[in-house]
Amino acid sequence: MRGLSAVTVAGLGLLAGALVTAAAHHHALVSLRARLDQYAHDQRHTDLAIQQRLHWELLSKALDDPELAEVVDLYEGHVSPTQRRQYIFANALYTNLLFYYRIGNVSREEFFKHVRGFLQSPIFREYWEATRQQRASISDTDEAELGLMVDDLVRQLDETEEERWWVVGEPPEGPGNGRA
């Protein structure tokens, strides 16, 4: 009985040691996973920032050179060179706001409020209408969802008799801090 008891105690000790080792490994794996997730999150922000910078550089070239601006003229109907430059700038403003949303610098509600301000510009409204087909070609993305939200806001602004434009429309509910 005594020998069996010593073997049992030794076995229990080994089992306890194995459980402690497994728990330590589990904790290390969870910690490693958290660091990898943070790295992926940071890398996504870096990639988005690089893409945003490249987008701005390309748009800047188009703003500076009318011949290059013709390349990005994907608007519905005839657009004068002046309108094209204005639309390119409107695109830069909207894309910048979209980037801020994606990295979590503005909430969905703040995005909504900024766009509501953009829509007070007749030129931005023209740009928005001229790019309708382009937006219709994207789906199942945060950009498509936000575009539909802006389309709805345009409709609400058009239908209201409210002079205080800054109160028109309901900001979206929920966390909506982009896909940061």
Side-chain angles (χ1 to χ4, degrees), residues 20-114:
V20 167
T21 301
H25 280 124
H26 176 72
H27 177 71
L29 288 172
V30 167
S31 177
L32 178 61
R33 178 65 186 182
R35 283 185 278 161
L36 287 173
D37 288 346
Q38 183 61 45
Y39 174 78
H41 176 78
D42 293 347
Q43 187 62 47
R44 176 165 162 52
H45 279 198
T46 299
D47 292 346
L48 281 169
I50 290 168
Q51 188 277 329
Q52 179 68 13
R53 181 68 189 156
L54 178 60
H55 184 258
W56 173 246
E57 288 174 13
L58 292 169
L59 290 180
S60 293
K61 288 178 187 239
L63 285 169
D64 294 340
D65 185 337
E67 290 177 1
L68 293 179
E70 289 180 26
V71 174
V72 294
D73 188 345
L74 305 172
Y75 311 111
E76 293 181 32
H78 174 72
V79 177
S80 73
T82 299
Q83 285 175 306
R84 187 179 306 119
R85 286 176 53 83
Q86 292 169 332
Y87 289 3
I88 290 169
F89 189 74
N91 175 270
L93 285 175
Y94 182 75
T95 304
N96 186 61
L97 182 59
L98 182 61
F99 170 71
Y100 265 43
Y101 172 76
R102 284 179 170 157
I103 65 170
N105 281 1
V106 295
S107 68
R108 193 173 183 88
E109 180 179 356
E110 292 167 318
F111 180 93
F112 178 87
K113 290 176 180 180
H114 283 290

